[in-house]
Amino acid sequence: MTFWIRRIAFYLVTLWAAVSLNFLLPRILPGDPVAIMLGKLRRGGRQLSQETVDAVTALLGGDRGSSLWDQYLAYWGRMLHGDLGISSTRYPTPVGELIGQALPWTVTLVGAATIISFVLGIIGGAWVGWFRGTWVDQLVPITTFLQSIPYFWLALVLVAVFSVQLGLLPIIGAYDVFEYPMGPDWSLPFFGSVFVHALLPAATIVISSVGGWLLGMRNMMVQTMAEDYVLTAEAKGLRPSRIRSAYAARNASIPSLAGFGIALGFVVAGSIVTEQVFSYPGIGKLMIQAVQGLDYALMQGVFLVITLTVLAANFLIDLLYGFIDPRVRRNG
């Protein structure tokens, strides 16, 4: 019970610190973010309601006759009600709506690519570790080399080969905008278009990240195979396939769960470079647009969503660790 209480308390404190930092950042920036954002919103002679002005002030601060503590309480109140403010670059669209539109694309693309990369890396690492010293060990330097290639360069190479030279796959977008000019219609042909457009971005993420999982699993596999319980299983005459799967690979994969939890948490952050290269309408591309347009409310909203997702993923992994390995509960 002590383990669970400590974990919950730790993540609650971390959540409070993250939200508080999100509140303070625009207030410690040089200049007046409130004036900047209100000026952007008033471009073209737009008339802003008092509610919009108050919302921007509550999110970004400013000298509006209220103390910092009152602004902090008002900020928490708006966060708890899901009010992330109004985007200045896409006025009058709420920040929450923009994030809601981009989030499914990122979760589907980056989430699926991360899971595929993890599964391939764990299976490949277990196989390479079991047959260490043979020709299969050559997979390690090959995948490590692919991992060292910059995302944007690999993405451009894939585009040049499969889109420009061979003409097999589309270059940009999440679906064919000419075929579906009114947006997603959730039909079977539409999902086919989404799948085809996701192939190159997903391949970029998988190729760039599978090497890390494979190398880590391979090293843990070699270390685990030297443990006494594996040697005992071999001495008992158990089948090699059973020793590999039930004894060696199962225990060697446990440390990778922590990294997988962090990777899943950062799925929401998207693969910023990949989404930018392929003009994929995810959170990563939205974040770049927010920074380029000095859209403080949108930057705050994206940062908050990413932080909450990372904390939630790590919390779930901590709970899973507690169930898998009792030593964690005793030492935690």
Side-chain angles (χ1 to χ4, degrees):
M1 182 59 69
T2 303
F3 169 78
W4 309 116
I5 294 175
R6 288 180 178 177
R7 291 290 88 191
I8 293 174
F10 169 78
Y11 282 103
L12 287 177
V13 172
T14 307
L15 174 62
W16 166 79
V19 176
S20 299
L21 179 63
N22 201 32
F23 166 80
L24 289 173
L25 278 178
R27 289 162 174 80
I28 61 178
L29 291 174
D32 187 356
V34 176
I36 294 174
M37 188 165 181
L38 290 177
K40 291 171 67 67
L41 293 176
R42 290 191 175 105
R43 285 178 181 175
R46 295 171 181 158
Q47 297 297 320
L48 302 181
S49 65
Q50 187 60 40
E51 289 77 9
T52 301
V53 175
D54 293 340
V56 172
T57 303
L59 284 169
L60 304 179
D63 185 13
R64 304 296 179 185
S66 60
S67 65
L68 186 64
W69 176 250
D70 291 335
Q71 294 179 34
Y72 183 64
L73 294 179
Y75 178 81
W76 266 102
R78 292 182 179 276
M79 293 299 101
L80 293 176
H81 285 87
D83 184 1
L84 301 178
I86 303 296
S87 169
S88 62
T89 54
R90 302 188 186 181
Y91 181 84
T93 308
V95 169
E97 182 178 333
L98 291 175
I99 295 177
Q101 293 171 355
L103 195 57
W105 296 109
T106 291
V107 170
T108 302
L109 172 68
V110 186
T114 301
I115 294 174
I116 292 172
S117 175
F118 175 76
V119 172
L120 291 178
I122 294 300
I123 295 176
W127 187 52
V128 172
W130 182 260
F131 295 103
R132 66 192 184 282
T134 64
W135 66 270
V136 296
D137 253 345
Q138 299 303 316
L139 288 176
V140 175
I142 293 174
T143 55
T144 303
F145 169 74
L146 291 175
Q147 186 182 16
S148 66
I149 298 176
Y151 266 39
F152 69 91
W153 191 83
L154 179 60
L156 292 175
V157 168
L158 292 178
V159 167
V161 173
F162 293 98
S163 298
V164 178
Q165 296 295 329
L166 301 179
L168 297 176
L169 297 172
I171 298 178
I172 61 173
Y175 57 91
D176 191 341
V177 295
F178 298 104
E179 186 74 21
Y180 304 95
M182 303 303 295
D185 65 0
W186 312 115
S187 62
L188 189 59
F190 171 77
F191 283 111
S193 177
V194 170
F195 176 78
V196 171
H197 279 74
L199 285 177
L200 282 184
T204 302
I205 298 171
V206 170
I207 293 173
S208 299
S209 58
V210 70
W213 299 116
L214 187 144
L215 178 61
M217 182 62 182
R218 186 261 183 198
N219 293 338
M220 286 303 304
M221 190 74 173
V222 172
Q223 180 180 339
T224 303
M225 287 171 60
E227 296 289 343
D228 292 339
Y229 58 85
V230 176
L231 299 178
T232 302
E234 292 175 344
K236 288 181 178 180
L238 296 180
R239 296 191 312 273
S241 59
R242 177 171 173 77
I243 296 174
R244 181 175 64 246
S245 59
Y247 288 83
R250 182 177 180 181
N251 290 281
S253 63
I254 291 178
S256 298
L257 287 175
F260 183 59
I262 296 175
L264 282 182
F266 278 103
V267 160
V268 173
S271 183
I272 297 177
V273 176
T274 303
E275 290 185 1
Q276 184 69 5
V277 169
F278 292 99
S279 192
Y280 202 81
I283 291 291
K285 184 173 178 59
L286 189 65
M287 186 188 303
I288 292 180
Q289 292 174 345
V291 173
Q292 291 175 339
L294 292 178
D295 194 337
Y296 293 102
L298 186 55
M299 284 189 282
Q300 276 188 297
V302 171
F303 172 78
L304 182 64
V305 170
I306 293 174
T307 301
L308 292 177
T309 309
V310 172
L311 289 177
N314 280 273
F315 178 65
L316 292 177
I317 291 298
D318 269 355
L319 296 182
L320 181 60
Y321 249 115
F323 284 113
I324 293 177
D325 192 347
R327 295 173 298 178
V328 175
R329 296 198 299 268
R330 291 196 298 267
N331 298 331

